[in-house]
Amino acid sequence: PPPLAPPPASPTGAGGPTKRGRPRARQVRRVILALLVAWLAFLVIVPFLAWGKVTKTEWEPSGQRPAASDGENYLLVGSDSRADLSAEERRTLTTGNPEGQRTDTIMLLHTGSGPNLLMSIPRDSLVDIPGRGESKINAAFAFGGAPLLVQTLEQSTGIHLDGYVEIGLGGVVDMVDAVGGVEICPNKRMRDPLAGLDVQKGCQGADGTTALAYARSRKTNLKLGDVARARQQREVVKGVGRKALSPMTVLNPFRYYGLNMAVPAAFSFGEGMGKVSAGRFALALSRVNGGNGLTCGVPIRDLAVNWDEERSQSLFAKIIADDTESVGKDLCNPSGLPQ
């Protein structure tokens, strides 16, 4: 039989990939892989660089303390110190002069097996301060700084605190601006010249300066006063936490870098807290809204912010037992008042 003729060669581009096309595809894959590795390295290295600039604070009290329990409890303190603000910044933020140092914000954050719980403790709460007698709780910070405040809270609640985080007035502005602003939802027009606040009713975006004024204002609600302010503070904190860990923060390199680099200037972490513990704190703070967690004021019996002995001790016991799953609105609601 006659020999078989070889099959006709495919014209260039009509059949499989050409020898020239295959190397080009490999080069594209290599470039994509290199960019992915560089991006992952960026996501890891930036937090390490930021953590190297973080300041640490002595916070653990001496003497006997409550036993550690399941879950973790962090104390978040907002200091009203103006020492780190310039004269121009104090005028812009309407903060007044740098005299004394107290705590405008005191929050306890619990994270464990159940929903995360963020509880505000009004600064005017009357408690027994070791060595000082009965006084407003924010006076403990003025008398003895973080260690005395922690000792006072542990003694009053029976809750062992595992970590301490402090933020100043300027830090609030920096963090809110670093995440591109937060949403606030006042239920009425709010004007407070003493706090530098003037916002309309309804949900709206707020930059750092407006968010700080909103978190500081208590003159716009004379009935609830510090109770209303604590609710506004939780609103700002939740807004920052939600946006800080949103996909847009990770995808936007400028926001990601700016947010991480804002942390050292904004926060001071307690001695003993490492990067992992700080990361757990940040993650828990982003999960205290909606169905992800619980936010409330400490149970009080009146607007003089006297703690409700029975309800507050019941809530503290559930936190100690890491049983936030069974916490209802009778114990955890925005005002802390009986429902």
Side-chain angles (χ1 to χ4, degrees):
L4 296 175
S10 300
T12 303
T18 64
K19 291 182 178 180
R20 183 182 301 175
R22 282 194 296 269
R24 185 176 299 167
R26 284 197 295 268
Q27 288 175 357
V28 171
R29 286 196 295 270
R30 287 171 183 160
V31 169
I32 293 175
L33 181 60
L35 290 175
L36 180 59
V37 171
W39 181 253
L40 293 175
F42 172 77
L43 294 179
V44 173
I45 291 172
V46 168
F48 273 85
L49 292 175
W51 187 255
K53 301 178 181 179
V54 163
T55 58
K56 296 296 186 72
T57 299
E58 292 286 348
W59 66 280
E60 293 190 82
S62 58
Q64 190 172 2
R65 301 177 60 192
S69 55
D70 292 336
E72 291 186 303
N73 302 301
Y74 300 93
L75 182 63
L76 174 61
V77 170
S79 168
D80 69 352
S81 173
R82 281 79 163 164
D84 61 339
L85 299 177
S86 66
E88 182 179 351
E89 287 173 325
R90 293 197 298 272
R91 286 193 297 271
T92 301
L93 302 177
T94 323
T95 63
N97 293 323
E99 296 178 359
Q101 180 176 352
R102 299 204 176 199
T103 50
D104 269 347
T105 306
I106 306 172
M107 295 183 188
L108 189 150
L109 173 65
H110 174 82
T111 178
S113 60
N116 295 335
L117 186 146
L118 181 64
M119 179 178 68
S120 294
I121 299 171
R123 69 173 194 172
D124 292 340
S125 299
L126 288 175
V127 295
D128 183 59
I129 300 176
R132 297 283 182 167
E134 188 177 68
S135 185
K136 294 180 179 180
I137 195 167
N138 70 336
F141 192 76
F143 290 146
L148 184 57
L149 176 61
V150 170
Q151 184 181 14
T152 300
L153 274 171
E154 289 189 335
Q155 175 182 281
S156 301
T157 65
I159 299 172
H160 178 90
L161 296 173
D162 302 290
Y164 176 88
V165 182
E166 185 178 317
I167 185 170
L169 296 176
V172 175
V173 177
D174 293 341
M175 291 303 297
V176 172
D177 286 340
V179 297
V182 296
E183 183 181 61
I184 59 174
C185 295
N187 54 19
K188 64 177 182 178
R189 169 79 183 276
M190 297 179 67
R191 293 189 64 196
D192 184 354
L194 292 177
L197 179 67
D198 187 358
V199 293
Q200 300 295 324
K201 175 183 177 180
C203 294
Q204 59 204 275
D207 62 8
T209 301
T210 302
L212 174 63
Y214 184 68
R216 292 178 57 224
S217 175
R218 63 174 176 171
K219 298 296 184 182
T220 54
N221 193 324
L222 297 179
K223 180 180 179 182
L224 294 178
D226 204 36
V227 172
R229 176 166 65 175
R231 183 167 53 196
Q232 292 154 202
Q233 290 168 348
R234 292 195 302 272
E235 191 177 343
V236 172
V237 167
K238 288 190 297 181
V240 172
R242 183 167 53 246
K243 292 191 71 174
L245 293 182
S246 69
M248 183 53 66
T249 298
V250 178
L251 295 174
N252 185 333
F254 299 103
R255 178 188 288 188
Y256 185 79
Y257 182 84
L259 175 62
N260 278 276
M261 291 305 167
V263 169
F267 291 103
S268 174
F269 290 87
E271 287 285 357
M273 283 187 69
K275 294 182 288 292
V276 174
S277 183
R280 287 199 296 264
F281 164 78
L283 182 61
L285 201 61
S286 71
R287 296 179 176 176
V288 291
N289 57 291
N292 296 324
L294 303 166
T295 61
C296 50
V298 67
I300 55 177
R301 66 171 185 263
D302 52 43
L303 290 176
V305 293
N306 292 298
W307 292 5
D308 185 311
E309 186 67 23
E310 181 179 348
R311 292 169 54 243
S312 65
Q313 291 302 319
S314 178
L315 178 57
F316 301 156
K318 289 183 180 295
I319 292 174
I320 294 169
D322 190 26
D323 183 25
T324 56
E325 192 72 49
S326 67
V327 173
K329 292 185 178 180
D330 57 322
L331 299 181
C332 183
N333 62 73
S335 70
L337 290 166
Q339 295 295 288

